[in-house]
Amino acid sequence: MKIQKAAVIGAGVMGAAIAAQLANAGIPVMLLDIVLPDNPDRNFLAKQGIQKALKARPAAFMDRSRAALITPGNLEDDLPKVKDADWILEAIIEKLDAKRSLWERVEKVAKKTAIISSNSSGIPMHLQIEGRGEDFQRRFVGAHFFNPPRYLHLLEVIPTPKTDPAVVETFSEFAETTLGKGVVIANDVPGFVANRIGVYGIIRAMQHMQQAGLTPAQVDQLTGPVLGRASSATFRTADLSGLDIIYHVANDIGKVTPDDEDFSLTDSFRTLVEDKKWLGDKTGSGFYKKTKDEKGKTKILNLNLESMDYEDQGKVKVAAVEAVKGRPLAERVETLYTAEGKEGDFLRGVMNDGFWYAAKMAGNVSNRLQDIDNALKWGFGWEQGPFETMDTLGVQTVIGNLEAEGRTLPPLLQAMKDSGRERFYSVNEQGEDETVTPEGQPTPYEAPYFILTDLKKDASKVVKKRGGASIVDLDDGVLLVEWHAKMNALGEDQLRAVQDAHKLVQDMGYAGLVVGNQGENFSAGANLPLILSQAQADEWDELDDMIKQFQQVTTSLRFSPHPTVAAPFGMTLGGGAEFTLHADHVVASAELYMGLVEVGVGLIPGGGGTKEMLLRFTDQLHPGQQIGATMLPAVQRAFELIGTAKVSTSALEARNLGFLRDTDTVAMNRNHILMEAKRQVLALAPGYVQPTPRQDIPVMGDAAIAALKSALYGMHQGGYITDYDLVVSKELGRVLSGGTGNNRTAKVSEGHLLDLERQAFLTLLGKKGTQQRIDHMLKTGKPLRN
């Protein structure tokens, strides 16, 4: 069956946020909660949940208009309406009796094909449905989201022994494709997968910290990005999650686990929760506390666990971390695992605990090692899961260290020791990917989605490679241009790769081209250090040629004899946005942060972005408005969008802003965009007709320049823009007006607008104010308001 309508019961933080994610995916959803006895609005709690989701930061909704897909209601008046829902999810209080009582009521009104789920983070699913009918139990499956549901990729799907496998398959496909989640199949045991292993790691880190005499801030330095983990590391993650949640999960799991699974909380942590009631971000105080200095600037204070006072400890630096900065992840992990001193002792203790416990939980929390790795990656923001990290270090090395500590090896590690295998993930003699079962037996391994690095293991698939870019054969006649430089900044390698790919498509008879990658971000824009150095060296002829080449390559995505599809995601800024704007079709990740941000460094978009936004907004006008003063709203819209360096907060907003067209595709799951882009190329290829540059673009000329200058004058006088903002904005206005000397009925070519862009870009680059802005951005990562 297809899930087209949903109902969420419980409008607290999680329930409302899950409803928001359903709305993001275009699914109409009812949000129900109890009736407050003294409130005349019987739907108050559900409405309040929606409002809190609208105000949430980071934003729960990808576009505020999606809130209209949520219908508020209450359990007394509206529960019968869930009969229309294809999926019913509860997110109510974590009490077994309350959940059982709710399911008794839901069973009477839900349709016989509806999938029923609980978002419980700890109450076993099979206990919730005791006493329910066989058909209800067959359609029941746990669905444990992680907070915030929009941003954390993990969804633990938890079948009970009674759940129909077809229900698990249908729901998992819906969760992955429609909701954009990374699905892990968890066993119905306390803590499921991520919390069982992740909370164990947090608790053990607290214990090791106390033994080593380290501070929470030092531990967060050691267990954060340097280990390939989230910047929130250990104690910032605890604050974000809620110390009370960690407290209850640890206590609940500790009651039902063997003695060797040490979930005991430190005295200092108990003091924080039981005595101080400092629960992290929800109370404003935890291991860290936000405050403001005398200038009103936010300041982070660190908790001294001995005095239980908050202190300004400044920027905490750890020598072991500083020593490995800038190295690849594998080198960092290997170096830190063997480090000396109390920092090394702490890390080995924490890492060995994690390795031992993950191996012990294999076959318990999940029946597949990859589900454990993915749960930690998707739920806690790790780059590598515990088994992948052991592969990096060498499994036999880890086993030797665990035995040296006097630990009894779990069955999985004992089997690995006996077999002598050095890796959990490997390629067998037949060239097939394989992993091992929880019993240590080889088994075929299939990645949960298309992974580019796996495809590239076949060297024949890399058609051509440069230092910062590759051309990859995606099969079925489709080539991919993959950028893989730092932040995917755009320089010569990236441009040449696109040119080479176009030639290969034509010479070798390929169907078309995808521009995309699986890095952290699609592209953060042009190579600013190179541009600044050339400007300071007065290499103006070289810069002019470089901007011409950049324009030729971006526009080649529009004017090639074969279809091109861009697959942007994450940060898609400046030149990255300009490439996207010129593709025949775009398959964008729902999490798309796209913008033409050049004014922040004193420039304007010079790769066709200014031209493209003018065309898009002018084309949206009625034909009768594409002349004279009636064109001004389109010019103003492009001017405001570029002049304020507006960046979308999602693909839905990117569409509203004009960066995406209505015909472009938005994929909720970022991991699917390359394969969908390939499919779009193959759909466009038959009968594809090469477009030609337009020659009849209406512009307003001097009339628009005068109107924009008038508005700029008022903004400058009012203090809304700086002196140099005024300089940059005038150049932007000149391009969007089609240049000086044109009357309000003039028509120009795309080439003319590109020439104006290039001239403005170079003019601004030669000014001291722009060079100061670029230099400041490179040094601080922040724009300069000069």
Side-chain angles (χ1 to χ4, degrees), residues 480-647:
L480 168 74
V481 173
E482 176 201 12
W483 298 326
H484 41 69
K486 183 178 180 181
M487 297 295 287
N488 282 329
L490 300 173
E492 184 175 1
D493 279 351
Q494 291 71 36
L495 301 185
R496 294 283 188 193
V498 175
Q499 292 174 317
D500 292 343
H502 282 312
K503 189 173 188 305
L504 282 166
V505 170
Q506 291 306 301
D507 292 349
M508 305 301 293
Y510 286 93
L513 184 64
V514 172
V515 178
N517 62 81
Q518 289 184 332
E520 290 186 18
N521 296 285
F522 180 71
S523 174
N527 187 334
L528 284 177
L530 175 62
I531 291 172
L532 179 61
S533 66
Q534 287 185 296
Q536 291 174 336
D538 290 329
E539 297 175 354
W540 297 108
D541 289 340
E542 291 84 350
L543 278 165
D544 187 39
D545 288 341
M546 186 175 73
I547 304 305
K548 280 181 183 177
Q549 183 195 23
F550 193 81
Q551 291 179 338
Q552 289 166 359
V553 176
T554 56
T555 57
S556 73
L557 268 64
R558 173 75 45 80
F559 302 118
S560 62
H562 48 261
T564 61
V565 175
F569 60 92
M571 284 198 292
T572 301
L573 306 176
E578 290 176 302
F579 267 99
T580 301
L581 290 169
H582 286 91
D584 290 311
H585 188 82
V586 177
V587 177
S589 166
E591 297 298 339
L592 179 67
Y593 314 120
M594 183 174 177
L596 296 166
V597 296
E598 286 83 352
V599 296
V601 290
L603 297 166
I604 71 160
T610 309
K611 174 266 302 180
E612 189 62 21
M613 299 320 298
L614 177 65
L615 262 64
R616 290 192 178 197
F617 296 150
T618 302
D619 287 347
Q620 289 174 14
L621 297 174
H622 185 275
Q625 296 175 310
Q626 294 176 349
I627 188 170
T630 54
M631 274 185 57
L632 188 59
V635 177
Q636 289 173 325
R637 185 179 172 191
F639 182 82
E640 181 180 353
L641 181 70
I642 299 170
T644 58
K646 179 69 175 177
V647 176

Side-chain angles (χ1 to χ4, degrees), residues 205-206 208-223 234-235 287-288 302-306 311 313-318 342-343 346:
M206 293 178 189
H208 284 291
M209 173 185 69
Q210 192 168 282
Q211 294 165 9
L214 297 171
T215 68
Q218 288 172 326
V219 168
D220 277 353
Q221 286 289 309
L222 288 163
T223 59
T234 299
F235 294 105
F287 288 102
Y288 301 95
N302 301 356
L303 180 65
N304 183 318
L305 290 174
E306 292 184 3
E311 302 173 350
Q313 298 177 0
K315 188 171 183 180
V316 176
K317 289 190 175 183
V318 176
K342 64 180 182 180
E343 295 163 356
F346 166 82

Side-chain angles (χ1 to χ4, degrees), residues 190-191 195-204 207 246-247 249-266 270 357 361:
N195 277 341
R196 181 69 172 267
I197 297 174
V199 171
Y200 178 83
I202 291 173
I203 298 304
R204 294 296 294 158
Q207 296 170 354
I246 303 291
Y247 177 89
V249 170
N251 282 333
D252 290 345
I253 295 177
K255 291 174 185 176
V256 297
T257 53
D259 293 338
D260 63 346
E261 297 180 28
D262 189 359
F263 277 87
S264 58
L265 296 163
T266 61
R270 289 189 177 279
Y357 197 60
M361 288 298 100

Side-chain angles (χ1 to χ4, degrees), residues 62 92 94 130 158 196 198 216 244 279-280 296 324 340 344-345 428 513 524 536 553 569 586 596 614 639 653:
M62 293 179 180
I92 65 171
E94 285 286 83
E130 286 183 354
I158 309 121
R196 181 69 172 267
D244 53 333
L279 307 180
V324 297
E340 297 181 354
D345 292 341
N428 63 25
L513 184 64
Q536 291 174 336
V553 176
F569 60 92
V586 177
L596 296 166
L614 177 65
F639 182 82
E653 188 181 18

Side-chain angles (χ1 to χ4, degrees), residues 408-423:
T408 300
L409 296 178
L412 170 60
L413 292 183
Q414 185 62 54
M416 294 292 284
K417 178 183 177 182
D418 294 343
S419 69
R421 289 179 68 101
E422 196 62 58
R423 299 180 62 84

